[in-house]
Amino acid sequence: MSKRHPWQASIAFGLILALAAGCSGNAGDKEPAGNADDAGTAGSKDSVELSVWLTPQWKGVYESTEDGADYDSFFKHAAEKFAEQYDKYDAKINVQVVAGDQRDELLNVNLSGGTPPDIFFESVFAMGDYAHRGALLPLTEIVDDAARSDIAQGYWDNVTFGDDVYFYPFAHNPGTLAYNADMFKAAGLESFVGGETEIKTWTLAEYEQILAGLKNNLPKDQYSNAYPMALYALNNQGDTWNLAYLRMFGNPFFDDDGNIVLDDERGRKAAEWLKMVYDNGYSNPGAESVSSNDANAMFQNQQLGISFTNAVLFNNAKADMASGKAPAFDIRLANIPSEGGDPLTFTYVVGASAFKTGDPKREEAAKDFIKFFSTDPELVKASKNSVPVRTSVANEFKDQYPFFAAYDKNAAHMFAFTGNVPGYSELRQVLFPELQALYIGEKTAAEAVSSYQKNGNTVIGKARENSTLAK
């Protein structure tokens, strides 16, 4: 996926969240940095030393313009502030930035050697399997009522595996649709254009009217090689939006036991809808060989009227327009529609997890540090560098970042796209071959859905055998 990049002057948050389209960027080789000075009087308390790892998220504590701003700045600052007030131990905290493409290799090597980091700050999407492997400490006990009232339930659903919270939500990278309002107007679709800082919600009937209008009424002399919407199935990148489309007719995708239940009338209808869009020319051709990166480039070159986006991609698109790297047009946001009328939205939650180290003192301090920087009234304001999960932070900065309010409102329609099932990373390899077969006519919608459910549940079943959280 263009697997945690809303994820923004509109969203100009300087965010470099991992994504969807889902991958964290490379930070390069970095030595451990950010040692906080020991706090308290020497010898008055036991000492504890913690290691905090993160993939590149944002530079600086609160602003990328700060002197010496780097990816570790926030945690170095938080570590110093924590050590000054921590009354249990003299705390020393080492902060290390690791490249996103090295994350799993480094973690697995250190887990095998019995030396995992105490804390890892990353997208839950990338870290969920570690909860199932029994490598993480539950964090439920450090979540209080104040946090639950300030952070919408949808975010907690994303970080809860089995009966426990394993990641403390800090920020997120919400996924929506993006559309070219100039193309809408050129095709006579002005009535469907939302406000500049609105996440527009269309009914499914309205969305189909938009697709037909873009295909039939878009001036060819102005947009000679353009298509209504993006479809892609080359690989697993950007698969989150395909998962959303398959929920458009009310299918829940997973049941309460974490099994795929797509193979019913609603799931088959969603697959039939995707095939209809493809066959009617409402999408780019060759979806079976088009990647999400290809689709994003086509949208930026005004070859698509509607495409996928998240907060990072949206911010980057606007920056590319401002710098002249891409053609400038009026880009706006919309929700994924559904037959029932309620929009579909999802997000990549980013937060901290605590690894089991076997050292009770370190494990206690790690959870204390996570709670500290995830709840401190000043430190949580750093989430404005991406998109805040806290309503209080979104409200505080909504005038400066007007999309914060829209994203916060949208949280009521959020679904946890992974289902927090075991083996999700492997499960991602199962969907796109079925979509390819659907688009090229090798399988009917019913056959593709049935095959995906069978193969997907096989993956989940095998992973569940090794999951410490399985029922």
Side-chain angles (χ1 to χ4, degrees):
M1 120 166 219
S2 297
K3 61 220 302 7
R4 241 310 180 75
H5 35 224
W7 244 198
Q8 292 145 4
S10 311
I11 310 173
F13 319 142
L15 170 68
I16 313 180
L17 281 174
L19 237 101
C23 294
S24 300
N26 278 349
D29 294 328
K30 243 177 137 67
E31 293 296 323
N35 297 349
D37 292 333
D38 290 352
T41 305
S44 63
K45 293 179 287 188
D46 287 343
S47 296
V48 66
E49 185 169 354
L50 302 178
S51 59
V52 177
W53 290 8
L54 67 147
T55 54
Q57 302 292 333
W58 66 86
K59 288 187 175 181
V61 179
Y62 300 106
E63 302 287 347
S64 61
T65 55
E66 296 165 359
D67 290 342
D70 208 340
Y71 296 116
D72 57 7
S73 299
F74 171 78
F75 283 99
K76 290 171 66 175
H77 175 70
E80 292 170 358
K81 189 172 182 180
F82 175 72
E84 289 171 357
Q85 59 80 54
Y86 195 40
D87 59 6
K88 294 181 182 179
Y89 305 106
D90 286 329
K92 181 179 182 180
I93 299 174
N94 305 310
V95 183
Q96 182 175 352
V97 181
V98 300
D101 59 2
Q102 297 175 10
R103 176 195 60 238
D104 290 332
E105 180 181 358
L106 289 172
L107 279 174
N108 287 325
V109 167
N110 281 270
L111 282 168
S112 296
T115 58
D118 296 281
I119 296 169
F120 206 117
F121 188 81
E122 173 64 299
S123 170
V124 177
F125 171 74
M127 297 290 289
D129 281 350
Y130 293 100
H132 283 287
R133 288 168 58 177
L136 303 181
L137 295 169
L139 303 180
T140 310
E141 65 182 22
I142 67 172
V143 177
D144 57 25
D145 291 341
R148 290 195 179 275
S149 64
D150 197 21
I151 301 173
Q153 183 58 41
Y155 302 115
W156 295 113
D157 292 342
N158 274 268
V159 301
T160 300
F161 291 68
D163 297 325
D164 284 301
V165 170
Y166 282 88
F167 305 85
Y168 208 115
F170 190 87
H172 71 117
N173 185 22
T176 62
L177 298 178
Y179 63 99
N180 186 326
D182 293 336
M183 292 176 71
F184 274 47
K185 294 171 184 176
L189 299 169
E190 296 93 336
S191 62
F192 297 108
V193 175
E196 291 183 4
T197 59
E198 176 186 6
I199 304 174
K200 181 67 174 177
T201 294
W202 301 306
T203 66
L204 184 57
E206 289 173 333
Y207 189 69
E208 291 174 346
Q209 185 178 343
I210 290 167
L211 295 179
L214 289 172
K215 179 187 177 184
N216 299 322
N217 302 325
L218 200 61
K220 298 303 181 183
D221 59 340
Q222 190 174 356
Y223 302 99
S224 59
N225 189 32
Y227 303 93
M229 74 170 284
L231 285 182
Y232 49 87
L234 177 64
N235 52 36
N236 65 3
Q237 300 298 291
D239 55 347
T240 328
W241 285 265
N242 286 326
L243 295 174
Y245 298 145
L246 291 172
R247 289 170 163 86
M248 288 175 60
F249 290 84
N251 182 278
F253 211 88
F254 297 106
D255 64 16
D256 291 340
D257 294 322
N259 299 307
I260 298 171
V261 290
L262 187 63
D263 190 13
D264 67 4
E265 181 180 358
R266 297 167 297 176
R268 292 189 288 270
K269 194 172 182 180
E272 290 168 354
W273 186 88
L274 287 173
K275 188 67 161 71
M276 177 276 293
V277 168
Y278 184 74
D279 289 345
N280 285 0
Y282 291 160
S283 75
N284 50 276
E288 67 279 359
S289 58
V290 171
S291 71
S292 60
N293 286 338
D294 296 332
N296 188 50
M298 291 175 68
F299 178 68
Q300 287 195 264
N301 288 322
Q302 300 193 82
Q303 295 174 293
L304 291 168
I306 305 168
S307 188
F308 72 97
T309 197
N310 56 39
V312 176
L313 293 174
F314 184 61
N315 178 52
N316 290 345
K318 293 176 78 70
D320 286 347
M321 292 181 198
S323 67
K325 291 181 180 179
F329 60 87
D330 186 356
I331 179 174
R332 304 196 186 191
L333 298 182
N335 282 308
I336 299 162
S338 74
E339 184 184 47
D342 290 330
L344 292 164
T345 186
F346 60 87
T347 194
Y348 305 95
V349 177
V350 176
S353 57
F355 276 82
K356 294 178 179 177
T357 62
D359 185 327
K361 185 167 61 174
R362 286 170 55 194
E363 291 181 351
E364 178 185 25
K367 289 189 287 187
D368 288 342
F369 182 47
I370 289 173
K371 181 173 183 178
F372 176 75
F373 70 74
S374 300
T375 61
D376 180 83
E378 289 302 314
L379 291 176
V380 295
K381 294 178 182 180
S383 61
K384 71 181 178 61
N385 285 291
S386 50
V387 182
V389 293
R390 289 182 173 271
T391 297
S392 59
V393 179
N395 287 338
E396 181 174 354
F397 292 99
K398 64 183 179 181
D399 292 337
Q400 185 178 358
Y401 304 108
F403 271 99
F404 281 1
Y407 283 131
D408 191 59
K409 179 181 178 181
N410 232 25
H413 306 291
M414 189 186 309
F415 64 89
F417 63 91
T418 71
N420 294 344
V421 298
Y424 182 76
S425 58
E426 184 179 353
L427 181 62
R428 297 182 66 209
Q429 305 300 323
V430 179
L431 178 60
F432 70 88
E434 301 300 337
L435 292 177
Q436 290 174 346
L438 174 69
Y439 292 140
I440 65 177
E442 283 188 354
K443 291 183 179 180
T444 65
E447 290 170 338
V449 165
S450 177
S451 179
Y452 171 72
Q453 178 169 308
K454 177 182 177 181
N455 295 334
N457 281 335
T458 297
V459 169
I460 294 172
K462 289 181 179 179
R464 186 178 288 125
E465 293 176 0
N466 298 316
S467 172
T468 63
L469 306 178
K471 295 181 179 180

